[in-house]
Amino acid sequence: PRDALDSKSESVPTIDISRLKGSDDERRGVIQEIRLACQSFGFFQIVNHGIDQSILDDALAVAKGFFELPAKEKNKFMSNDVYAPVRYTTSLKDGLDKTQFWRIFLKHYAHPLHRWIHLWPQNPPEYRERIGKFCEEVRILSLEIMGAITESLGLGRDYLSSRMDENGMQVMAVNCYPPCPDPKTALGLPPHSDYSCITILLQNLTGLEIFDLTAHDGSGRWVHVPEVKGVLKVHIGDHVEVLSNGLYKSVIHKVTLNEEKTRISLASLHSLGMDDKMSVPCQL
Ligand code: OGA
Ligand code: NI
């Protein structure tokens, strides 16, 4: 990460979303904060989101438990098929990428839960229950946030609700970044944006950096995202950038590494159904 030195720890937008359920004035206030965050960073953190700390802690712990299993157990899920409903792999794809990134991950479909959960790992024994609980709670949150986002675009809070609710897609990326002996020479994940409408991210340690397009008169700058317990991160993905006709930015982000500790993150990607197509509404 050549530009890591430019990263400074500083505040990124943090929004108390419990006010979405408050008075009309309170809701309007949150919608305005979301609009500003989506226009500038394409990223915000949420507090008072209503998910119990124990659900977050249990999900991170059981995810870590999966990566600590013997290779033989994890390899049952190994696949290079990006459409496989459950897939365990590294960031080295088919030998096509020249660079290997310091990440192993498990990715699986998560909605509708009953359709996929029986394909998920049975080890650790609590994996399905704990990750399942986390997926359900995060999905409810994603619908609430998407309603606020479409409202902030003047489309109303139900503009996408049916297409994201029963027909929507949720993919859970369970990421593990082992300690790296020389973190300055490698990255966990290269700079990218997510294809989703929004991604909701939970992490156990810092490492996430987002690109602030507006800094330095438009030449941009990497910003380190501090870790605060219980806070969830929301990434605007490519499909909301399309929906908003470019008004909202899909955030470019990357992951830097840690010399001593294993970093675990759970990224829940929320989108329209696989066969659905996002387009710009004529109002925009
Ligand atoms: C991702 C991602 C960030 C992280 O899975 O798309 O950006 O912190 N993850 O692991
Ligand atoms: Ni991402």
mmCIF file of all heavy atoms in Angstrom, residues 189-190 192-194 199 201 208 235 251 253-255 267 269, ligand 2:
data_model
loop_
_atom_site.group_PDB
_atom_site.id
_atom_site.type_symbol
_atom_site.label_atom_id
_atom_site.label_comp_id
_atom_site.label_asym_id
_atom_site.label_seq_id
_atom_site.Cartn_x
_atom_site.Cartn_y
_atom_site.Cartn_z
ATOM 1 N N LEU A 189 -7.238 -6.586 0.637
ATOM 2 C CA LEU A 189 -8.092 -6.491 -0.550
ATOM 3 C C LEU A 189 -7.650 -5.259 -1.328
ATOM 4 O O LEU A 189 -7.380 -4.221 -0.731
ATOM 5 C CB LEU A 189 -9.556 -6.298 -0.137
ATOM 6 C CG LEU A 189 -10.502 -7.489 -0.117
ATOM 7 C CD1 LEU A 189 -11.897 -7.039 0.290
ATOM 8 C CD2 LEU A 189 -10.570 -8.142 -1.488
ATOM 9 N N PRO A 190 -7.587 -5.351 -2.654
ATOM 10 C CA PRO A 190 -7.199 -4.191 -3.458
ATOM 11 C C PRO A 190 -8.339 -3.169 -3.501
ATOM 12 O O PRO A 190 -9.470 -3.506 -3.164
ATOM 13 C CB PRO A 190 -6.996 -4.803 -4.842
ATOM 14 C CG PRO A 190 -7.942 -5.955 -4.880
ATOM 15 C CD PRO A 190 -7.962 -6.515 -3.477
ATOM 16 N N HIS A 192 -11.466 -1.389 -4.551
ATOM 17 C CA HIS A 192 -12.592 -1.848 -5.377
ATOM 18 C C HIS A 192 -13.857 -1.176 -4.864
ATOM 19 O O HIS A 192 -13.869 -0.607 -3.774
ATOM 20 C CB HIS A 192 -12.756 -3.375 -5.277
ATOM 21 C CG HIS A 192 -13.222 -3.831 -3.919
ATOM 22 N ND1 HIS A 192 -12.379 -3.950 -2.838
ATOM 23 C CD2 HIS A 192 -14.450 -4.183 -3.459
ATOM 24 C CE1 HIS A 192 -13.060 -4.352 -1.776
ATOM 25 N NE2 HIS A 192 -14.333 -4.494 -2.122
ATOM 26 N N SER A 193 -14.917 -1.250 -5.665
ATOM 27 C CA SER A 193 -16.231 -0.885 -5.144
ATOM 28 C C SER A 193 -17.068 -2.153 -5.122
ATOM 29 O O SER A 193 -16.745 -3.121 -5.809
ATOM 30 C CB SER A 193 -16.871 0.192 -6.023
ATOM 31 O OG SER A 193 -17.088 -0.316 -7.324
ATOM 32 N N ASP A 194 -18.123 -2.173 -4.322
ATOM 33 C CA ASP A 194 -18.988 -3.350 -4.273
ATOM 34 C C ASP A 194 -20.071 -3.216 -5.342
ATOM 35 O O ASP A 194 -20.532 -2.117 -5.617
ATOM 36 C CB ASP A 194 -19.634 -3.484 -2.890
ATOM 37 C CG ASP A 194 -18.596 -3.759 -1.792
ATOM 38 O OD1 ASP A 194 -17.437 -4.084 -2.116
ATOM 39 O OD2 ASP A 194 -18.960 -3.637 -0.604
ATOM 40 N N THR A 199 -23.728 -2.375 1.042
ATOM 41 C CA THR A 199 -23.071 -3.428 1.802
ATOM 42 C C THR A 199 -23.014 -2.966 3.246
ATOM 43 O O THR A 199 -22.680 -1.814 3.516
ATOM 44 C CB THR A 199 -21.638 -3.668 1.277
ATOM 45 O OG1 THR A 199 -21.704 -4.047 -0.091
ATOM 46 C CG2 THR A 199 -20.928 -4.754 2.071
ATOM 47 N N LEU A 201 -21.166 -3.736 6.806
ATOM 48 C CA LEU A 201 -19.923 -4.396 7.206
ATOM 49 C C LEU A 201 -19.710 -4.356 8.709
ATOM 50 O O LEU A 201 -19.906 -3.337 9.361
ATOM 51 C CB LEU A 201 -18.753 -3.692 6.507
ATOM 52 C CG LEU A 201 -17.383 -4.314 6.746
ATOM 53 C CD1 LEU A 201 -17.084 -5.374 5.714
ATOM 54 C CD2 LEU A 201 -16.287 -3.265 6.739
ATOM 55 N N LEU A 208 -9.941 -1.248 7.339
ATOM 56 C CA LEU A 208 -10.694 -0.711 6.209
ATOM 57 C C LEU A 208 -10.267 0.733 5.929
ATOM 58 O O LEU A 208 -10.128 1.538 6.852
ATOM 59 C CB LEU A 208 -12.187 -0.748 6.539
ATOM 60 C CG LEU A 208 -13.133 -0.239 5.455
ATOM 61 C CD1 LEU A 208 -13.142 -1.170 4.241
ATOM 62 C CD2 LEU A 208 -14.549 -0.084 6.002
ATOM 63 N N HIS A 235 -21.566 0.711 2.986
ATOM 64 C CA HIS A 235 -20.953 1.110 1.712
ATOM 65 C C HIS A 235 -22.063 1.310 0.691
ATOM 66 O O HIS A 235 -22.907 0.429 0.526
ATOM 67 C CB HIS A 235 -20.077 -0.008 1.135
ATOM 68 C CG HIS A 235 -18.908 -0.393 1.970
ATOM 69 N ND1 HIS A 235 -18.138 -1.485 1.694
ATOM 70 C CD2 HIS A 235 -18.367 0.189 3.046
ATOM 71 C CE1 HIS A 235 -17.163 -1.573 2.578
ATOM 72 N NE2 HIS A 235 -17.288 -0.574 3.419
ATOM 73 N N VAL A 251 -18.527 3.674 -3.062
ATOM 74 C CA VAL A 251 -17.260 4.000 -2.394
ATOM 75 C C VAL A 251 -16.143 3.032 -2.797
ATOM 76 O O VAL A 251 -16.325 1.816 -2.827
ATOM 77 C CB VAL A 251 -17.441 4.011 -0.848
ATOM 78 C CG1 VAL A 251 -17.821 2.644 -0.303
ATOM 79 C CG2 VAL A 251 -16.187 4.522 -0.147
ATOM 80 N N HIS A 253 -12.892 1.247 -1.755
ATOM 81 C CA HIS A 253 -12.303 0.899 -0.461
ATOM 82 C C HIS A 253 -11.277 -0.205 -0.622
ATOM 83 O O HIS A 253 -11.245 -0.906 -1.631
ATOM 84 C CB HIS A 253 -13.406 0.504 0.533
ATOM 85 C CG HIS A 253 -14.341 -0.563 0.038
ATOM 86 N ND1 HIS A 253 -15.293 -0.340 -0.932
ATOM 87 C CD2 HIS A 253 -14.470 -1.868 0.376
ATOM 88 C CE1 HIS A 253 -15.967 -1.456 -1.159
ATOM 89 N NE2 HIS A 253 -15.479 -2.409 -0.379
ATOM 90 N N LYS A 254 -10.410 -0.345 0.394
ATOM 91 C CA LYS A 254 -9.406 -1.407 0.376
ATOM 92 C C LYS A 254 -9.159 -1.850 1.811
ATOM 93 O O LYS A 254 -9.658 -1.223 2.755
ATOM 94 C CB LYS A 254 -8.106 -0.891 -0.263
ATOM 95 C CG LYS A 254 -7.395 0.175 0.561
ATOM 96 C CD LYS A 254 -6.102 0.634 -0.111
ATOM 97 C CE LYS A 254 -5.435 1.715 0.721
ATOM 98 N NZ LYS A 254 -4.236 2.277 0.096
ATOM 99 N N VAL A 255 -8.423 -2.922 1.962
ATOM 100 C CA VAL A 255 -8.150 -3.428 3.305
ATOM 101 C C VAL A 255 -6.647 -3.532 3.515
ATOM 102 O O VAL A 255 -5.944 -4.157 2.709
ATOM 103 C CB VAL A 255 -8.822 -4.810 3.523
ATOM 104 C CG1 VAL A 255 -8.436 -5.389 4.886
ATOM 105 C CG2 VAL A 255 -10.341 -4.697 3.418
ATOM 106 N N ALA A 267 -19.132 -8.999 5.536
ATOM 107 C CA ALA A 267 -19.694 -8.009 4.612
ATOM 108 C C ALA A 267 -20.978 -8.584 4.024
ATOM 109 O O ALA A 267 -20.952 -9.617 3.352
ATOM 110 C CB ALA A 267 -18.692 -7.685 3.508
ATOM 111 N N LEU A 269 -23.830 -8.155 1.432
ATOM 112 C CA LEU A 269 -24.132 -7.401 0.210
ATOM 113 C C LEU A 269 -25.613 -7.551 -0.129
ATOM 114 O O LEU A 269 -26.114 -8.669 -0.266
ATOM 115 C CB LEU A 269 -23.268 -7.901 -0.952
ATOM 116 C CG LEU A 269 -21.772 -7.567 -0.842
ATOM 117 C CD1 LEU A 269 -21.000 -8.685 -0.182
ATOM 118 C CD2 LEU A 269 -21.188 -7.254 -2.211
HETATM 119 NI NI NI B 2 -15.904 -4.418 -0.691
#
